[in-house]
Amino acid sequence: MMSNKQYMCLLRSGSGGCEQLSASDMEVMYAKFNAWQTKFADNIVDMGGKLGSEGAVVNRDEVKDGPFIEVKEIVGGYMLISASDLAEATEVIKASPMVEKADTSIELREISKP
């Protein structure tokens, strides 16, 4: 039996402000998210989290305060999932309510291990 691979999921969204949801819309959103999380519990390795506003960019010659946002979309969070292949990982993420917003996408990258 082939073991599952791990995939880093990077949540990208538009750099505009976040919309405020009503209490009932928040309840619906959390219900969808919790149902997705329960359905794919075997695939979710680490729910990760939102990335903070402080950071740094490090290279050989210097350390710059960051993060630096120079594009229209920003990486705002991450998570780790486990799947047999990219197709399965994609199906897990496509079922997520996180990708329902038009300006949100999730980049999947296999984590290579020696």
Side-chain angles (χ1 to χ4, degrees):
M1 182 170 112
M2 194 163 127
S3 65
N4 278 357
K5 301 172 184 178
Q6 287 192 348
Y7 292 87
M8 173 66 72
C9 306
L10 301 171
L11 175 65
R12 298 180 184 276
S13 60
S15 59
C18 295
E19 62 188 76
Q20 293 296 321
L21 298 176
S22 68
S24 61
D25 287 344
M26 287 288 284
E27 195 172 308
V28 168
M29 182 194 68
Y30 281 121
K32 283 182 183 179
F33 188 78
N34 288 334
W36 172 78
Q37 209 172 358
T38 299
K39 181 176 181 180
F40 293 102
D42 289 343
N43 296 94
I44 298 170
V45 175
D46 181 350
M47 279 304 298
K50 179 180 177 183
L51 299 177
S53 61
E54 287 189 68
V57 176
V58 179
N59 67 33
R60 182 184 72 192
D61 299 321
E62 63 186 328
V63 175
K64 295 180 183 178
D65 289 337
F68 297 98
I69 301 170
E70 299 174 359
V71 294
K72 291 188 283 185
E73 59 181 13
I74 59 172
V75 175
Y78 74 97
M79 63 183 291
L80 286 177
I81 62 170
S82 173
S84 58
D85 56 26
L86 183 58
E88 181 185 7
T90 300
E91 289 305 311
V92 170
I93 293 303
K94 280 174 56 178
S96 165
M98 293 180 285
V99 293
E100 289 181 358
K101 288 181 64 177
D103 71 340
T104 300
S105 64
I106 298 178
E107 179 181 349
L108 297 172
R109 300 291 300 266
E110 182 182 345
I111 298 172
S112 298
K113 295 182 180 179

